[in-house]
Amino acid sequence: MIVLILGLAMFLGIHSLRIFADDWRSARIRQWGEKGWMAFAGAVSLIGFILIIWGYGMARLSPIVIWYPPIWLHHVTALLSLLAFIILAAAFVPGNHIKAAVKHPMVIAVKAWAFGHLLANGMLADILLFGAFLVWSVLCFRSLRRRDQAQGSTVAAANLKGTAITVVAGLAGYLIFAFFLHEWLIGVPVK
C-alpha cells in the first residue's frame, strides 16, 4: 500500500502545485525554463504513475475489503464513465457546448471517472486510488474556477458541429475502452 500512496503523492502532488504552491512552480519555471520544468514535471508524473500502477497491482494481490458494493452500482459506474469519456473529448474538440458549459472538461471527466469507480469498488486500495483522484479533481476545479474569475477568462464560442464531434468521439472512446481495452490494460472486465 505504501507504493500506491507514494505514487499518488508524486503524481497528484506535481499536478497540485498550481493549487498549493503556484509561486514555487513559477519560480522553477523562471529558473529552469519552460522545457526544463516540463521535463521535471513529466519525470515526476511518469514515476508517480508507474508507482500507482505497481502499488495498485500489489494491493489487489492481498485485498483489504472495506465494503461490498451492490451490483447495480456497476451500472452507475458505466454511465459515469461514459459521461467522463464524452466530457474528456470536449477538452480536445474545439468549439463544443460541453467545454463552454463546464470550462475545464478534463478535470470534470476525472471527477466523474473517480466518483463512479469509487462507488463500484470496495477495497482499501480502490478507496485510496479513486478517492485521491476525486479529492484532487474537486480541489483543482475550484482552483481553476477562481483563477478564471480573477483573469476574466472566457471559452471560445460553441457550435453544434463541435458538440456532435465531441459526443461521437467520447462515445467511440468509451466503447473501445470498455469492451476491448479495460480488461487488457486493467485486468478487470467491465461488468
Side-chain angles (χ1 to χ4, degrees):
M1 204 71 66
I2 297 296
V3 175
L4 174 60
I5 293 168
L6 179 60
L8 287 167
M10 289 179 71
F11 186 84
L12 294 177
I14 199 72
H15 286 87
S16 298
L17 289 176
R18 293 208 65 184
I19 301 169
F20 299 110
D22 198 29
D23 292 340
W24 183 86
R25 178 185 174 274
S26 297
R28 297 298 74 76
I29 293 171
R30 283 191 303 276
Q31 181 182 12
W32 301 338
E34 189 72 33
K35 287 183 181 179
W37 169 255
M38 293 302 287
F40 171 76
V44 171
S45 293
L46 180 61
I47 292 167
F49 189 67
I50 290 167
L51 291 175
I52 289 170
I53 293 168
W54 183 31
Y56 187 71
M58 288 190 309
R60 285 177 45 195
L61 296 175
S62 304
I64 300 170
V65 177
I66 303 299
W67 76 300
Y68 293 97
I71 294 297
W72 62 269
L73 281 178
H74 292 273
H75 302 295
V76 174
T77 300
L79 177 61
L80 287 170
S81 295
L82 171 60
L83 291 173
F85 269 88
I86 293 169
I87 295 168
L88 180 63
F92 300 101
V93 177
N96 67 78
H97 288 91
I98 297 167
K99 185 172 186 174
V102 301
K103 311 289 189 273
H104 301 283
M106 194 173 295
V107 176
I108 297 295
V110 170
K111 191 185 295 188
W113 165 81
F115 181 65
H117 283 75
L118 195 56
L119 291 175
N121 295 283
M123 290 188 326
L124 179 59
D126 299 324
I127 294 167
L128 285 172
L129 176 66
F130 302 120
F133 272 95
L134 180 59
V135 168
W136 173 82
S137 63
V138 168
L139 295 174
C140 186
F141 187 75
R142 288 179 59 205
S143 173
L144 290 167
R145 292 303 287 249
R146 279 195 305 270
R147 192 174 316 132
D148 288 348
Q149 289 172 348
Q151 295 173 351
S153 298
T154 59
V155 175
N159 58 63
L160 288 176
K161 179 182 175 186
T163 304
I165 292 169
T166 298
V167 172
V168 169
L171 180 59
Y174 171 78
L175 292 172
I176 291 166
F177 194 80
F179 294 106
F180 301 105
L181 298 177
H182 196 278
E183 185 173 8
W184 181 62
L185 291 172
I186 312 301
V188 178
V190 173
K191 297 174 187 175

